[in-house]
Amino acid sequence: MVWEPDPVPATSLNRWSGYLDATRTGHRYLTGGEGGCTQANKCDFQHLRSSLNDGGSTPVVRSVAISKGRDHAWAGAVDGLRLNRYVYDFEANGVNARRVR
């Protein structure tokens, strides 16, 4: 799965953004094109979820990568990354995972 966030307003450049909710913003697609969710035909989050709910085994997140793309250099940070019931905070001494209730 690839999630492409919505464009950042120019007034937000060179400062921290608020939290981004990938279930409500941006566009996503599946690299295998399941359910018609392709790079040319992006899906909303609910369509993507139903595409993966095909009666087979439950999808599992095995890795996460954050990339900006190739057009311009980017220097930034990611913090407070939430995957399902855990939020991962990236600190100088390592990654702290906390369960969300």
Side-chain angles (χ1 to χ4, degrees):
M1 182 186 91
V2 175
W3 173 67
E4 297 175 347
D6 292 330
V8 176
T11 57
S12 304
L13 298 177
N14 297 320
R15 64 177 106 164
W16 285 98
S17 70
Y19 284 102
L20 303 175
D21 184 344
T23 66
R24 293 191 171 96
T25 64
H27 308 282
R28 59 220 38 82
Y29 61 93
L30 298 164
T31 56
E34 297 85 355
C37 294
T38 65
Q39 190 170 10
N41 186 35
K42 296 178 175 98
C43 300
D44 65 25
F45 188 68
Q46 292 307 318
H47 184 138
L48 181 127
R49 284 185 64 182
S50 64
S51 296
L52 295 174
N53 189 15
D54 60 2
S57 59
T58 301
V60 175
V61 175
R62 299 207 186 272
S63 68
V64 174
I66 297 167
S67 173
K68 190 262 175 214
R70 298 181 297 189
D71 55 351
H72 299 287
W74 176 72
V78 173
D79 199 22
L81 175 65
R82 180 175 176 169
L83 294 173
N84 297 325
R85 294 187 177 135
Y86 289 90
V87 172
Y88 299 90
D89 286 318
F90 300 87
E91 308 299 340
N93 61 342
V95 180
N96 299 317
R98 65 180 167 84
R99 188 173 171 99
V100 178
R101 297 180 195 259

